[in-house]
Amino acid sequence: MLENLENMEKYRAQMLIEALPHIQKYYGKTVVVKYGGNAMINEDLKDAVIHDIVLLSLVGVRIVVVHGGGPEISGMLKKIGKQSEFVKGLRYTDRETMDIVQMVLCGKVNKELVSLLNKAGGSGVGLSGMDDGLLQAVRKKDEDGTDYGYVGDIVKVNPKLVNDMLEDGYIPVVSTAAMGVDDDTSYNINADLAASKLAVALQAEKLILLTDVRGLLRDRNDENTLIPEIKVSAVPKLIKDGVIAGGMIPKVDCCVEAVREGVRQANIQDGRVEHSILIELFSDAGVGTMFY
C-alpha cells in the first residue's frame, strides 16, 4: 500500500517536472483557442476547458478564447419557427438570422463563458468582433456567385483592444460577429477563420482549433491513423490525395494560413478529450495534429 502511494506521488511529481519546460516556453506568449463542438455542449468537457484556460492564464500564458455557438443558434431559430439553412457548410444568414446570431453569440453564449471563467478563478471579459472594429469584414462572395447572405470575409483585424485586455491580465472571450466595412451591417463569421485571423494579428505562438475528431486522419474511418505533425508545405499533396477532404479542408486552410502568416504552430485537436489543451501545451505527448 505504501509503495503504491509512493509510486503515485512520484508519478504526480514527474508530471509537474515534465510540464516545467513547456510552461517556460509559453510564459508571456499568446495562445488563441477556438472553442466549439462537443466541448461547448457536454458539461464535463466544458468544465475541463474552462479550468484549462484559467490555469494557463494563472501561469502567465496570454490566452484568448474565440467561440462559435452553432447549436445554440440553431436552437433559437427553431424556437421562433425558422429552419436552419447551410450553404457549402456555412450557415445561410438572412437579416433575421443575423439578429439571432448577434443575440446568441454576443449575448447568451459569450456572457455564459465569461461567467464560468470568473467562477473558476479567472478574469474573463467578453468582446465581440464589432468592439473597437476588432473584426472588420465584407460580404462573402464566391467566384461562382454563391449567396451566403450576411456571412462575411475578414479583411482587417484591429487587435489593440484584445492586447490591452491581455496586458491587464484579463482573458478575452471573443464572439464572431464582425463589423461590416462595405455596408452598414454586421456579419456572421466562421469561428475557425476568426480565430486564425486573430492569432495572426496578435502574433500568437500557437493557434488551437478544438473540434470533434482526433485530428487529421490518414484514413477517415480509422482513428488510429492520426497524423501528429504536418509541414504546411505538405498540405497540397494531402488534399490532392484525398487525405484532407470535405469539412476538414477549411479547418486545415485556417491552420496553414496562420502558420504562413507568422503563427509558430497551429493545432486541430479533439475537444472531446478532457484537458486536451493542457495535454497539448504542457506535456511531451501532445494531442491532435500540429501544423508548422
Side-chain angles (χ1 to χ4, degrees):
M1 180 72 177
L2 180 59
E3 184 178 350
N4 289 339
L5 184 60
E6 288 177 347
N7 288 337
M8 185 178 296
E9 294 301 326
K10 287 180 181 178
Y11 175 71
R12 289 173 177 168
Q14 186 59 43
M15 289 179 62
L16 293 173
I17 291 169
E18 181 182 316
L20 177 59
H22 300 285
I23 293 173
Q24 292 171 324
K25 173 183 176 181
Y26 287 104
Y27 180 81
K29 301 292 179 59
T30 301
V31 174
V32 176
V33 175
K34 181 265 180 171
Y35 181 34
N38 276 315
M40 285 189 74
I41 301 171
N42 180 286
E43 292 302 319
D44 290 336
L45 293 176
K46 184 186 292 187
D47 183 71
V49 169
I50 292 298
H51 281 87
D52 283 5
I53 291 167
V54 171
L55 190 153
L56 287 168
S57 178
L58 291 176
V59 299
V61 180
R62 292 158 53 99
I63 187 83
V64 179
V65 181
V66 177
H67 69 85
E72 291 85 353
I73 294 169
S74 295
M76 184 61 71
L77 289 172
K78 187 175 180 180
K79 283 182 180 180
I80 66 170
K82 191 176 183 65
Q83 185 72 29
S84 294
E85 297 179 45
F86 293 87
V87 179
K88 295 183 181 179
L90 297 176
R91 183 184 300 277
Y92 179 79
T93 308
D94 59 17
R95 185 70 264 173
E96 184 179 34
T97 301
M98 189 62 226
D99 289 342
I100 295 295
V101 167
Q102 277 190 241
M103 179 177 69
V104 173
L105 287 189
C106 305
K108 182 177 183 294
V109 176
N110 188 269
K111 300 314 173 190
E112 282 181 356
L113 292 177
V114 169
S115 177
L116 289 171
L117 287 169
N118 292 338
K119 287 178 181 177
S123 298
V125 60
L127 301 172
S128 82
M130 293 176 289
D131 292 326
D132 196 34
L134 172 57
L135 301 177
Q136 299 173 35
V138 297
R139 185 179 290 235
K140 181 175 178 60
K141 293 179 181 178
D142 286 354
E143 291 182 0
D144 62 6
T146 300
D147 180 22
Y148 298 93
Y150 291 93
V151 173
D153 275 329
I154 297 172
V155 293
K156 185 178 179 181
V157 178
N158 176 17
K160 182 180 183 303
L161 184 57
V162 174
N163 272 320
D164 288 346
M165 295 295 100
L166 289 169
E167 287 296 322
D168 289 339
Y170 291 102
I171 304 169
V173 182
V174 181
S175 60
T176 55
M179 181 180 76
V181 295
D182 60 341
D183 199 354
D184 185 18
T185 187
S186 53
Y187 287 116
N188 186 12
I189 304 293
N190 174 270
D192 291 331
L193 175 64
S196 175
K197 295 286 190 181
L198 184 55
V200 171
L202 292 170
Q203 299 178 305
E205 180 76 9
K206 195 172 188 78
L207 166 67
I208 293 176
L209 304 182
L210 293 180
T211 185
D212 291 335
V213 295
R214 284 195 66 195
L216 183 59
L217 307 176
R218 196 163 291 280
D219 178 351
R220 278 167 283 169
N221 299 313
D222 185 357
E223 290 203 340
N224 294 316
T225 63
L226 176 72
I227 304 173
E229 295 183 359
I230 300 175
K231 286 186 177 181
V232 295
S233 59
V235 167
K237 185 176 187 304
L238 290 173
I239 293 176
K240 182 180 178 182
D241 293 343
V243 175
I244 302 172
M248 188 60 76
I249 291 177
K251 291 183 181 294
V252 170
D253 284 345
C254 287
C255 291
V256 170
E257 180 182 356
V259 171
R260 285 180 173 163
E261 293 295 323
V263 177
R264 187 174 295 275
Q265 297 173 350
N267 259 58
I268 295 175
Q269 66 190 56
D270 197 344
R272 300 170 301 176
V273 175
E274 288 192 19
H275 302 295
S276 70
I277 299 173
L278 289 186
I279 295 170
E280 169 56 29
L281 294 178
F282 288 171
S283 78
D284 294 337
V287 66
T289 299
M290 181 183 74
F291 296 82
Y292 66 101

